[in-house]
């Protein structure tokens, strides 16, 4: 396989890579929305719903893998970004489609982290923050469960999806204390080899992107996740 300009930095590692070729996303080509009909299904190849009242696209491959092998690491997957999720409409469709390429279910995008400092804490482990997160989650769950009897059936479905995302965060917090590994697999780093980033979001976009990529490398080297 010939490596194009974009893959040239990976040339020394070509024997360790598996590059998929010949993929064609027919659903995105058929979708009339040039932007939102082709963004959220990059990793699923599924049809993007055009119904404003039915946010729906396929579950993405990264989350399918996270369910299968994510139990072996503290973080089932690492979903990072540099832009916040937008809630406005574009072409009559929710910008959630344009803000999220990772979907935990056909109707629920995976929560992404755009703050490098928070991503660092999730990777390296911050027990004090984990305790605070657990307290907040307990309160959120209690409030949500008390609200459920007051909702219509359709809204209960949405709430159940929301609660499942909360339970997923709970599992991540609990799993962070464990070190389950596949047989023979060992991290190349036991401690972070980079300082904790500042709490603020970098204002320079290239710097922000580079920092996010450095964090992904750190997570892989520490074997905190295998999917990002």
């Amino acid at each position: 396989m010939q490596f194009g300009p974009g893959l040239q930095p990976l040339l020394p590692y070509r024997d360790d890579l598996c590059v998929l070729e010949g993929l064609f996303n027919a659903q995105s080509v058929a979708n009339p929305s040039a932007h939102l009909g082709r963004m959220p299904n990059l990793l699923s190849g599924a049809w993007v719903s055009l119904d404003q009242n039915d946010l729906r696209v396929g579950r993405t491959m990264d989350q399918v893998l996270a369910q299968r092998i994510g139990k072996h690491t503290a973080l089932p997957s690492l979903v990072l970004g540099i832009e916040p999720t937008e809630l406005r409409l574009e072409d009559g469709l929710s910008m959630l489609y344009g803000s999220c390429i990772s979907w935990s279910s056909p109707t629920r995008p995976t929560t992404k982290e755009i703050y490098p400092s928070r991503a660092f804490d999730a990777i390296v482990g911050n027990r004090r923050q984990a305790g605070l997160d657990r307290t907040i989650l307990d309160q959120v769950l209690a409030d949500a469960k008390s609200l459920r009897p007051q909702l219509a059936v359709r809204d209960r479905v949405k709430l159940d999806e929301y609660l499942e995302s909360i339970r997923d965060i709970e599992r991540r917090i609990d799993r962070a204390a464990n070190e389950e590994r596949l047989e023979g697999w060992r991290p190349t780093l036991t401690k972070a080899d980079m300082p904790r980033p500042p709490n603020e979001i970098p204002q320079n976009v290239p710097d922000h992107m580079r920092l996010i990529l450095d964090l992904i490398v750190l997570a892989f080297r520490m074997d905190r996740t295998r999917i990002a």
Side-chain angles (χ1 to χ4, degrees):
M1 173 184 173
Q2 295 294 322
F3 275 31
L7 294 179
Q8 285 301 310
L10 298 176
L11 198 56
Y13 312 101
R14 64 181 303 160
D15 292 339
D16 299 319
L17 298 175
C18 179
V19 180
L20 301 180
E21 296 182 281
L23 299 179
F24 177 67
N25 191 347
Q27 299 285 16
S28 67
V29 175
N31 199 295
S33 177
H35 181 209
L36 302 187
R38 301 174 185 182
M39 276 286 293
N41 61 3
L42 284 172
L43 298 177
S44 68
W47 177 256
V48 179
S49 172
L50 300 177
D51 185 346
Q52 293 184 11
N53 299 314
D54 184 25
L55 188 74
R56 186 175 299 275
V57 70
R59 187 180 182 199
T60 50
M61 181 54 67
D62 64 309
Q63 294 307 303
V64 173
L65 290 172
Q67 185 182 41
R68 294 295 184 93
I69 67 173
K71 63 182 180 181
H72 297 294
T73 53
L75 302 172
S77 68
L78 191 62
V79 181
L80 305 179
I82 63 170
E83 294 182 347
T85 299
E86 296 189 52
L87 301 179
R88 62 182 176 86
L89 295 178
E90 181 179 299
D91 296 336
L93 299 176
S94 170
M95 268 301 291
L96 275 174
Y97 285 145
S99 300
C100 308
I101 63 170
S102 177
W103 290 70
S104 300
S105 78
T107 57
R108 178 165 56 89
T110 311
T111 303
K112 67 180 176 182
E113 181 58 75
I114 65 173
Y115 281 83
S117 58
R118 294 178 186 172
F120 181 89
D121 289 342
I123 295 167
V124 175
N126 184 329
R127 293 185 180 277
R128 180 175 176 275
Q129 184 62 43
L132 177 60
D133 289 345
R134 167 65 72 182
T135 300
I136 294 173
L137 287 177
D138 288 344
Q139 185 62 53
V140 169
L141 283 171
D143 289 346
K145 288 177 180 177
S146 66
L147 176 65
R148 194 175 190 278
Q150 307 172 38
L151 300 177
V153 174
R154 184 183 182 90
D155 292 331
R156 287 184 184 182
V157 172
K158 293 294 184 182
L159 179 61
D160 288 343
E161 291 178 356
Y162 170 71
L163 291 176
E164 179 57 33
S165 69
I166 296 297
R167 282 189 284 268
D168 180 60
I169 296 174
E170 280 190 306
R171 289 190 287 268
R172 285 164 49 190
I173 292 174
D174 293 338
R175 194 181 291 117
N178 299 322
E179 289 293 332
E180 299 181 60
R181 301 191 183 283
L182 294 175
E183 188 66 28
W185 188 291
R186 293 292 182 272
T188 57
L189 282 180
T190 56
K191 294 183 179 180
D193 62 348
M194 60 181 287
R196 183 182 187 275
N199 290 329
E200 300 78 16
I201 292 179
Q203 295 304 300
N204 182 277
V205 173
D207 288 346
H208 193 179
M209 293 178 66
R210 190 174 298 108
L211 189 50
I212 289 295
L213 293 174
D214 286 344
L215 288 167
I216 291 175
V217 172
L218 176 65
F220 285 161
R221 294 190 66 192
M222 293 185 70
D223 196 27
R224 301 297 283 175
T225 191
R226 295 164 194 173
I227 302 163

